[in-house]
Amino acid sequence: MSSVPEETTTINAFIPGTIREGHAIPQYQIGPLSSYSIAVKDNICATPDITTCGSNALSNYRNPYDATVVRLLKEAGARIAGKTNLDEFGMGSHSTYSRFGHVQNALDPSLSAGGSSGGSAVAVASGQCTGALGTDTGGSVRLPAAYNGIFGFKPSYGLLSRRGVIAYSNSLDTVGILARNIQDTRQMFGVLNKHDPKDPTSMSLTARKRLMSGAASRQKRDGSLRIGVPVDKDDPVLSASVKSTWISTLEALQAEGHVLYGVSMLSIRRALSAYYVIAAAEASSNLGKYDGVRYGQHLSGHDTNSGSSLSHVFRGYALGPEVQRRIMLGTFSLSADAVENYFRLAQRVRGLIVQGYDKVFALPNLYSQQADGHVEQFPKDEKVDIIINPTTAKTAPRLDRVLCEDPTNAYLNDIFTVPPSLAGLPSISIPISGDDDTGTIGLQVTAQFADDNFVLRAAEVIEQSRRMRAMAKPGGSTSFATTFSNRIKEIQRFNPVNSRITRLKL
C-alpha cells in the first residue's frame, strides 16, 4: 500500500489512531489477497484495534477476537489498513452520525459520502486501500458506493459470516464488499464466502453444495440476459442525470441482444415502511445491552437517588440522536398495543416481497421452493435473470443541506436498496459515468437469492456494455428514451393485483 496522500486525511474516512500506512501494516500470511490492503468498518471486530461503532457507548471497547470475515482476510494474506468511520451503530444514510465527525465524499468534499458505510467507501474511492468491508442492512454499502463512484456488493443473507459483527438488525445485517473494480470484488467475495459453524445464520454446508450444482447449470446458459426493469407508479421522481444514465444503459444492453421486461410488484411499494419498523424493532432489542454497566465508560458520581436509572442517564449521554430515535420507534412497534399493527404486519409485508421476487425470477429460490412448491406464476421463459434500477433516485446531495434537513427525510434514500435487503437477495451498485458530466451514477443489479456469482457476472457484462456504447454513441438516443418512457406509461395503466411481467418491445 502506498503512503496516504496528505489531502485524503481530511475526509475523515478512518477512525483516529487505527489507520496504517505502507509497511506498517502487518501481514499475517501469504495468500490470494497478499497484494491487498483492506479497510474494515468499525462495527466489525478486528484486533488489535478498538471497535467503537462510532459511538460513545463503546469508546474504549476492544474485542478479544477477530470477526470471522477479518480472520479469513488475514489468512488469505490481506493487510488490514485500519477501521473506517460510520454512522453510529450503522444507523444513517450520510455518515454524519459518528462521534468522530462527518465523513466527506471522496469525489467532492462538499457532498454527502453516503452511509452508513461511508468511511469504507471513501477510503476505497480515495485510494487509501484496495478494498473495504462494510455492513449493509438496508443499503449501507450500495448507497455510499453510488455516491463515491465505486462498486458496492451486498451478498445474499447468510453467505458471509456475521460472527464478530456488532448487531444492528439481526435478520438484515449483511457484511458487504466495496472495491474500485469487479475483479477485486469477486476475489474478496471468493475468500469470504465460507460456512461458519459459529454463526447460526450462516448458510449450511448442505445448502452450499446445492448452490454449487445450480451454478454448474448456470454455465450452460447462453450469454444473453433477461433483464427486469421496475415500472411501478409509486417510484420517486428520478433526477434527470440518473434517469438518462439508466435508460441509456438499458439501450446499450438491448442493442447487444439482451431482453428487457417491465416488472411490477405491488408488495415492494410497502418495503420502506416495513423495513424501518423491522430494523428499528430489532435495534431496540440489540441495543438494550448498552446500559453503562457492561459496555462503555462508567459514569462516576451518578446519584442513584436522583430518580433516573443508571441506564437512562448513560444512554442519554452515550447514544446519539439517530440511535435514540430508532430505539424509541422500535420499542413502540414492539409494545403490546402496537405489535400486531406494526411489527407483525411488517413481517407479513416482508413475506409478500419474497414471494413477489420468487414469481419474477427464473431461478427458483433455494429456500422458498422447499416451503411452497407453487410459486410459479409466469412461464419460465418470461421470467427474468436480474433486475436493474438506479441505486438512488438522485446524485449525492450537498452535505450542508443534509445537516439542515429533517433527519427522517434521509430514510427515502433507501427506497431502491431496501427491497433486496428485506428478501435477503444479492445486490450490487455499479458505477456508471453519467450522460451529462455529473460524475458517476450508481445502477443496482439484483438477482435471486444465492445467485451471487451471477450478479457479479452480470455486473461485469453491464459495465463493459455501457463503456462500449458510450464510446460509440455517447448519451444514448433520444428516440429510445422517448419510446421507453411511453412504453412504461402504457404498462402503468394496468393495475395488477400481484406481480406482473411485460416484455418491453422497443
Side-chain angles (χ1 to χ4, degrees):
M1 178 181 177
S2 60
S3 297
V4 178
E6 183 178 352
E7 62 269 18
T8 65
T9 61
T10 62
I11 56 183
N12 207 24
F14 283 89
I15 299 297
T18 69
I19 186 171
R20 304 178 184 89
E21 303 177 29
H23 297 293
I25 307 176
Q27 186 170 33
Y28 297 88
Q29 295 188 34
I30 302 299
L33 298 182
S34 292
S35 62
Y36 286 57
S37 61
I38 298 177
V40 177
K41 187 178 180 181
D42 197 35
N43 62 348
I44 303 174
C45 296
T47 59
D49 294 317
I50 58 174
T51 300
T52 71
C53 289
S55 175
N56 283 318
L58 290 173
S59 56
N60 295 315
Y61 178 68
R62 292 183 187 274
N63 206 58
Y65 60 87
D66 284 325
T68 298
V69 287
V70 173
R71 176 180 60 80
L72 291 171
L73 289 176
K74 290 180 176 179
E75 290 176 353
R79 301 172 187 265
I80 304 304
K83 306 295 290 295
T84 56
N85 207 352
L86 72 163
D87 281 304
E88 185 178 9
F89 285 103
M91 301 182 193
S93 298
H94 298 290
S95 295
T96 56
Y97 291 115
S98 170
R99 68 179 288 257
F100 299 104
H102 311 146
V103 180
Q104 294 181 325
N105 191 295
L107 305 178
D108 183 346
S110 68
L111 301 179
S112 165
S116 61
S117 304
S120 292
V122 169
V124 173
S126 61
Q128 298 186 67
C129 54
T130 310
L133 296 184
T135 56
D136 194 307
T137 307
S140 293
V141 163
R142 290 159 287 164
L143 180 64
Y147 283 176
N148 288 276
I150 61 173
F151 289 86
F153 177 44
K154 184 201 84 69
S156 296
Y157 182 84
L159 281 190
L160 272 56
S161 173
R162 290 176 51 245
R163 180 176 181 264
V165 178
I166 296 178
Y168 160 21
S169 177
N170 300 68
S171 69
L172 293 164
D173 290 343
T174 305
V175 175
I177 298 168
L178 298 109
R180 288 189 293 274
N181 57 66
I182 199 68
Q183 292 77 21
D184 288 341
T185 304
R186 182 183 287 111
Q187 186 81 343
M188 291 173 63
F189 176 65
V191 167
L192 299 175
N193 184 16
K194 302 287 191 299
H195 171 66
D196 183 4
K198 296 182 179 180
D199 175 13
T201 65
S202 180
M203 182 181 290
S204 68
L205 291 172
T206 302
R208 289 171 187 268
K209 289 179 181 178
R210 291 179 58 196
L211 284 182
M212 294 298 292
S213 61
S217 64
R218 271 286 197 194
Q219 299 298 324
K220 300 176 182 178
R221 278 224 25 226
D222 59 57
S224 62
L225 299 172
R226 293 178 299 219
I227 300 170
V229 181
V231 294
D232 291 297
K233 296 179 184 178
D234 294 345
D235 282 348
V237 177
L238 301 177
S239 69
S241 58
V242 170
K243 185 174 182 179
S244 64
T245 302
W246 178 42
I247 292 177
S248 61
T249 300
L250 295 174
E251 178 185 11
L253 290 168
Q254 181 174 263
E256 292 191 356
H258 306 293
V259 185
L260 306 181
Y261 292 87
V263 174
S264 176
M265 291 186 287
L266 283 179
S267 56
I268 281 185
R269 302 177 188 180
R270 303 291 175 259
L272 196 64
S273 300
Y275 165 78
Y276 275 102
V277 170
I278 294 171
E282 295 184 1
S284 71
S285 176
N286 284 323
L287 271 61
K289 64 174 74 73
Y290 304 112
D291 53 11
V293 177
R294 290 165 288 183
Y295 297 94
Q297 294 178 338
H298 294 286
L299 298 179
S300 60
H302 172 65
D303 182 6
T304 56
N305 297 318
S306 63
S308 298
S309 66
L310 174 61
S311 62
H312 175 80
V313 175
F314 176 79
R315 289 172 183 168
Y317 150 76
L319 301 179
E322 184 61 24
V323 174
Q324 293 184 27
R325 185 180 298 112
R326 298 197 192 194
I327 288 176
M328 293 292 290
L329 173 60
T331 302
F332 169 76
S333 65
L334 290 175
S335 64
D337 292 337
V339 67
E340 186 64 38
N341 289 331
Y342 289 90
F343 184 73
R344 289 177 184 162
L345 181 60
Q347 292 287 21
R348 288 195 287 271
V349 170
R350 186 179 192 176
L352 292 174
I353 291 171
V354 173
Q355 292 177 22
Y357 277 120
D358 289 348
K359 289 171 182 175
V360 300
F361 280 128
L363 186 71
N365 188 317
L366 179 68
Y367 291 143
S368 296
Q369 283 293 103
Q370 297 174 356
D372 183 0
H374 55 275
V375 296
E376 293 286 341
Q377 177 165 324
F378 309 108
K380 191 168 183 178
D381 60 355
E382 293 183 9
K383 294 189 173 187
V384 301
D385 300 314
I386 58 173
I387 294 174
I388 299 180
N389 59 284
T391 308
T392 61
K394 296 176 173 60
T395 54
R398 288 187 58 84
L399 189 56
D400 54 0
R401 293 179 183 174
V402 168
L403 297 174
C404 295
E405 69 180 7
D406 184 342
T408 58
N409 289 344
Y411 296 175
L412 294 175
N413 290 329
D414 301 331
I415 194 164
F416 293 134
T417 57
V418 155
S421 293
L422 285 173
L425 305 182
S427 188
I428 187 170
S429 179
I430 309 171
I432 303 292
S433 297
D435 287 336
D436 54 0
D437 297 324
T438 55
T440 57
I441 306 296
L443 292 186
Q444 178 178 253
V445 179
T446 304
Q448 178 60 285
F449 178 77
D451 206 12
D452 295 61
N453 286 315
F454 192 78
V455 164
L456 296 176
R457 171 188 151 194
E460 194 166 26
V461 169
I462 293 166
E463 183 190 26
Q464 293 174 351
S465 173
R466 169 70 188 185
R467 189 184 300 120
M468 293 176 62
R469 185 70 172 178
M471 290 187 296
K473 194 175 185 180
S477 68
T478 304
S479 60
F480 180 91
T482 302
T483 305
F484 176 85
S485 298
N486 291 338
R487 185 69 176 119
I488 296 301
K489 291 178 182 178
E490 180 182 332
I491 295 172
Q492 287 177 345
R493 293 196 186 101
F494 295 94
N495 185 26
V497 294
N498 210 318
S499 304
R500 182 183 182 89
I501 300 178
T502 307
R503 173 107 179 241
L504 295 179
K505 298 179 181 180
L506 303 174

